[in-house]
Amino acid sequence: NRALAPFPQMGSISDIFAFPASFDAFYNDHVPFKNYFVRLNNKIDRDVFGKTSIGDVTIGTDNWLFYTVSKEGENALADYQRTNLYTQSQCEEIAGRLAAVESLVREKGAAQFKVYIAPNKESVYSQYMPKSVKVYGDEGSRMENFAAYMSENGQEEFVWLKPELMPYADQYQVYYKYDTHLNNLGSFLISQRMAEDLTGKALGLDEVTASQGQVVIGDMSRMINQESTMTDDHDFEINPYYPEVAVEMVQDAAGEEESFRIFESDADNDKTLLLVGDSYRERVEPFLAKLYRRTVVVHIDSFTPDMLDQYQPDDVAVILVERNQRYLEGLD
């Protein structure tokens, strides 16, 4: 989904020296039938040779796709294999950071501060991961151990969301099959845990109807050029969800990852929520926006502390996916 390399310009002497590399980039992006051959190659790798990994995408059984990125600050593969467990001192440092942020938020006038971590998909649907991807140790994952540490030390501002999903994961599909995110059903479930914590008002799955929705083309199917063949995954529609509450988006920077949105509703609590997070914030915003008179949603990369003064939130919530450890470790 990036912009393709343009044909190199020749406006200066420096352009002459840069021309070979620039032309290579242009040719690699525009070579005839490139997308077709990449798609064909990946399909042969998957269907004929049973290849289990293409780039950062691991292909599991029944064609389930998993985003097992492995890089500094975001290592989903290490999360799954349990090779990146926190030490006691690391747990203490992160817990101290969370406590410091909570103190700042409360000093600015907010009544509540919560940090929510959603599990990686392979943490919930490990039965679809290839057997060749080994799990080491049985003492739990990095985030499970950290959640236990926070619970043992009485720090209630941290919430690990895997227990909210597991009771439903076998009976229902709570993640997209070909995408890195929770589907609407999974998003509803974690949003209601957040709603219960923040407002004391939540709906159970038995109080709404979850019906089959539209087909979803997943981000990982695009990563391996198989979006035209992986078209059997449907989303859920959740109804009715507080139909008496109307929500309007009054400010939108959609389309940019470093973006924010502001929602206003006729909810009866006359409060403001500041919701900060990675892309998972977008999964819960449609549900949480119905519970507050105003909801400010901002990508964590774009958050600045002066937003606490600008919007004067009553509640502040941070939501991140498990693999984005750099955000949790760097919360400041």
Side-chain angles (χ1 to χ4, degrees):
N1 290 327
R2 62 175 174 79
L4 300 181
F7 190 85
Q9 300 299 309
M10 298 294 290
S12 67
I13 295 296
S14 61
D15 291 336
I16 296 176
F17 294 103
F19 182 86
S22 298
F23 184 81
D24 277 350
F26 166 79
Y27 183 80
N28 287 338
D29 274 0
H30 295 270
V31 62
F33 309 110
K34 175 188 176 180
N35 284 344
Y36 171 80
F37 284 118
V38 170
R39 185 175 298 114
L40 177 62
N41 181 72
N42 287 345
K43 185 171 178 59
I44 292 172
D45 280 346
R46 176 169 62 98
D47 295 345
V48 178
F49 296 108
K51 194 171 182 179
T52 60
S53 181
I54 299 175
D56 291 326
V57 177
T58 292
I59 303 170
T61 59
D62 196 24
N63 276 342
W64 274 71
L65 300 183
F66 299 94
Y67 186 55
T68 48
V69 60
S70 178
K71 62 183 181 181
E72 184 68 26
E74 185 181 4
N75 199 329
L77 186 59
D79 287 333
Y80 179 74
Q81 295 187 304
R82 300 176 180 177
T83 59
N84 62 348
L85 303 184
Y86 285 140
T87 64
Q88 177 78 9
S89 61
Q90 287 175 313
C91 288
E92 292 172 356
E93 179 182 352
I94 298 170
R97 286 178 175 272
L98 296 184
V101 174
E102 181 180 27
S103 295
L104 171 65
V105 167
R106 290 186 180 276
E107 287 172 9
K108 294 292 186 178
Q112 297 186 90
F113 171 73
K114 292 280 189 180
V115 175
Y116 296 91
I117 303 295
N120 300 332
K121 181 166 69 172
E122 56 273 14
S123 176
V124 175
Y125 288 110
S126 58
Q127 67 268 33
Y128 295 111
M129 281 287 284
K131 300 301 183 185
S132 59
V133 183
K134 302 298 183 183
V135 176
Y136 301 98
D138 56 3
E139 65 271 29
S141 69
R142 172 177 56 90
M143 201 52 63
E144 287 169 339
N145 288 337
F146 181 68
Y149 172 88
M150 294 294 283
S151 177
E152 290 167 3
N153 287 274
Q155 291 189 240
E156 297 180 353
E157 71 273 20
F158 178 86
V159 181
W160 171 230
L161 291 168
K162 185 177 178 180
E164 305 302 317
L165 296 170
M166 292 309 296
Y168 304 93
D170 288 337
Q171 184 177 357
Y172 306 97
Q173 183 182 319
V174 297
Y175 281 80
Y176 296 119
K177 189 174 179 180
Y178 308 128
D179 194 277
T180 57
H181 297 89
L182 290 157
N183 60 25
N184 277 349
L185 178 57
S187 300
F188 167 79
L189 293 170
I190 66 169
S191 74
Q192 295 314 289
R193 169 58 195 270
M194 298 171 72
E196 179 65 33
D197 291 344
L198 296 169
T199 71
K201 179 181 181 180
L203 293 179
L205 190 55
D206 58 344
E207 298 177 83
V208 297
T209 299
S211 56
Q212 187 180 82
Q214 64 184 3
V215 170
V216 174
I217 305 300
D219 53 11
M220 285 185 289
S221 67
R222 292 189 177 95
M223 292 179 197
I224 63 172
N225 288 82
Q226 296 297 303
E227 65 271 23
S228 62
T229 64
M230 294 181 164
T231 57
D232 60 333
D233 196 17
H234 290 261
D235 209 345
F236 285 90
E237 293 183 0
I238 307 297
N239 290 299
Y241 184 73
Y242 299 122
E244 70 278 8
V245 180
V247 177
E248 177 186 6
M249 186 187 297
V250 296
Q251 192 165 352
D252 181 20
E256 304 172 17
E257 185 64 15
E258 295 73 31
S259 64
F260 69 94
R261 300 184 180 97
I262 300 178
F263 300 88
E264 291 183 355
S265 79
D266 54 1
D268 57 9
N269 68 4
D270 197 24
K271 291 184 178 181
T272 295
L273 169 68
L274 176 60
L275 179 64
V276 183
D278 56 21
S279 60
Y280 271 59
R281 78 198 186 281
E282 298 177 330
R283 303 305 308 156
V284 296
E285 69 181 20
F287 300 107
L288 297 182
K290 284 202 169 192
L291 305 179
Y292 288 83
R293 188 67 57 87
R294 182 169 67 164
T295 304
V296 181
V297 185
V298 59
H299 191 280
I300 190 168
D301 286 337
S302 299
F303 172 78
T304 56
D306 60 9
M307 291 181 178
L308 296 170
D309 297 315
Q310 182 178 359
Y311 298 110
Q312 298 183 325
D314 298 276
D315 298 327
V316 177
V318 178
I319 182 166
L320 304 165
V321 67
E322 177 183 1
R323 64 178 175 271
N324 272 336
Q325 64 192 70
R326 65 189 184 277
Y327 290 127
L328 180 65
E329 295 166 3
L331 209 61
D332 206 342

